[in-house]
C-alpha cells in the first residue's frame, strides 16, 4: 500500500457500488484491519495479514483501499459507528443536559470496559498518525470525530442547536475526553478499579460544574 501524499486526505476507500457483495467485501476488509490492529498493533497491520483475516486476495484489498491511510480512515469511521450504536442502545438520554453529560460519561466508561482492545487500537491509530510524516491529519480527524460525537449528544433533541450551544457542547466534549482518556491510561496501566471509580465520580462532578457555568455565562436557562 502506498502512503498518501501529505497534501491530500484520502477518502475512506473506493465506493464498492450498490452490490451486496461489494459492500460485504469492503466491510470484511475493515474488520480484518481492525482485528489486526487490536491484536498486534500497527506492526501487524500488513496487507497480507489484513487480507488473510478478511478472507480476500491482496488484489481485492488494493482495489478497495489504495493506501494505508485510506484504510485507517475507514477503520476510524467504523470505530465511531460502533460507539454510536452502543450509546444509542442506552437511549433515551435525560432531557437536562447536566444529567445527560453524567449519563454519557458513565455510558462511555461501560463501553471502554467492554472494548479494551478497541481502545488500544484507537491509541495505536493516534500514535501512528502523530509519528508518520504527512499523517497528522488522521490524528486531528480522529480526535475531532470524538469531540463532534459527544458535543452533538449533549444537546441533541433538547431544543434549537444554536451557535452558542455548539460552542458549549464542544468545550464540554473536549473536557470529557481529556478525563476519559486519562482514566483509560490509568486503569489499563495500574488495573486499579477503585481509583478509576473515584476518578469517574470526580469527572462527573467537574463536567456538570463546567456545563452549568458555561450555560450560566451564556444566559441559558436549565432544561
Amino acid at each position: 500500500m502506498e502512503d498518501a501524499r501529505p497534501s491530500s486526505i484520502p477518502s475512506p476507500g473506493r465506493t464498492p457500488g450498490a452490490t451486496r457483495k461489494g459492500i460485504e467485501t469492503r466491510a470484511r476488509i475493515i474488520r480484518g484491519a481492525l482485528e489486526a490492529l487490536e491484536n498486534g498493533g500497527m506492526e501487524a497491520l500488513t496487507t497480507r495479514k489484513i487480507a488473510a483475516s478478511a478472507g480476500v486476495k491482496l488484489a481485492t484489498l488494493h482495489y478497495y483501499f489504495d493506501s494505508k491511510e485510506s484504510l485507517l480512515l475507514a477503520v476510524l469511521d467504523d470505530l465511531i459507528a460502533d460507539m454510536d450504536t452502543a450509546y444509542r442502545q442506552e437511549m433515551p438520554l435525560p432531557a437536562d443536559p447536566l444529567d445527560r453529560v453524567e449519563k454519557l460519561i458513565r455510558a462511555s466508561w461501560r463501553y471502554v470496559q467492554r472494548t479494551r482492545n478497541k481502545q488500544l487500537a484507537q491509541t495505536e491509530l493516534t500514535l501512528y498518525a502523530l509519528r508518520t510524516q504527512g499523517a497528522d491529519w488522521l490524528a486531528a480527524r480522529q480526535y475531532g470525530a470524538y469531540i463532534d460525537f459527544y458535543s452533538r449528544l449533549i444537546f441533541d433533541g433538547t431544543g434549537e442547536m444554536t451557535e452558542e450551544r455548539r460552542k458549549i457542547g464542544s468545550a464540554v466534549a473536549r473536557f470529557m475526553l481529556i478525563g476519559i482518556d486519562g482514566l483509560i491510561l490509568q486503569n489499563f496501566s495500574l488495573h486499579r478499579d477503585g481509583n478509576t471509580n473515584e476518578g469517574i465520580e470526580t469527572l462527573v462532578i467537574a463536567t456538570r460544574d463546567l456545563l452549568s457555568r458555561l450555560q450560566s455565562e451564556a444566559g441559558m436557562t436549565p432544561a
Side-chain angles (χ1 to χ4, degrees):
M1 285 179 153
E2 297 179 359
D3 286 342
R5 298 272 64 82
S7 60
S8 63
I9 296 178
S11 62
R14 292 185 175 91
T15 303
T19 66
R20 177 178 296 180
K21 182 179 179 181
I23 294 171
E24 290 177 347
T25 299
R26 185 178 184 279
R28 282 207 314 274
I29 294 172
I30 295 171
R31 285 197 300 272
L34 181 56
E35 287 174 4
L37 190 59
E38 288 180 358
N39 295 328
M42 291 301 302
E43 292 182 359
L45 202 65
T46 66
T47 54
R48 291 187 181 279
K49 289 183 179 180
I50 296 168
S53 180
V56 301
K57 296 179 180 179
L58 276 175
T60 301
L61 188 152
H62 284 287
Y63 171 75
Y64 286 95
F65 300 98
D66 58 3
S67 71
K68 179 179 285 188
E69 281 71 21
S70 66
L71 178 53
L72 292 178
L73 182 56
V75 169
L76 173 60
D77 288 343
D78 190 70
L79 286 168
I80 296 291
D82 181 76
M83 188 170 68
D84 183 68
T85 299
Y87 280 35
R88 291 189 182 280
Q89 291 176 349
E90 303 209 24
M91 297 294 191
L93 289 168
D96 187 342
L98 293 175
D99 294 333
R100 184 171 290 199
V101 294
E102 177 174 348
K103 184 167 184 178
L104 284 173
I105 291 171
R106 298 190 189 284
S108 176
W109 192 251
R110 286 193 292 272
Y111 180 75
V112 166
Q113 291 176 309
R114 295 195 306 269
T115 59
R116 185 179 189 277
N117 285 346
K118 278 188 171 62
Q119 305 308 315
L120 295 176
Q122 291 177 59
T123 300
E124 292 275 0
L125 270 175
T126 303
L127 293 176
Y128 167 82
L130 294 176
R131 287 173 174 166
T132 304
Q133 183 177 5
D136 53 344
W137 63 266
L138 181 60
R141 172 72 176 266
Q142 180 184 14
Y143 206 74
Y146 289 113
I147 291 173
D148 290 343
F149 176 79
Y150 282 110
S151 62
R152 175 168 44 84
L153 288 179
I154 290 170
F155 289 114
D156 187 35
T158 64
E160 181 184 357
M161 184 56 71
T162 62
E163 184 61 27
E164 193 65 45
R165 281 189 164 200
R166 288 191 183 92
K167 290 180 180 178
I168 292 174
S170 180
V172 173
R174 289 196 300 272
F175 184 81
M176 287 170 57
L177 280 172
I178 290 171
I180 292 169
D181 286 347
L183 288 170
I184 288 173
L185 291 176
Q186 174 182 277
N187 184 260
F188 287 5
S189 299
L190 301 179
H191 305 287
R192 294 176 182 173
D193 290 336
N195 289 350
T196 302
N197 292 336
E198 181 179 340
I200 289 293
E201 297 306 316
T202 301
L203 181 59
V204 165
I205 294 170
T207 306
R208 286 179 63 103
D209 287 347
L210 174 63
L211 176 55
S212 179
R213 177 174 62 80
L214 292 177
Q215 286 183 302
S216 178
E217 291 175 354
M220 295 172 56
T221 57

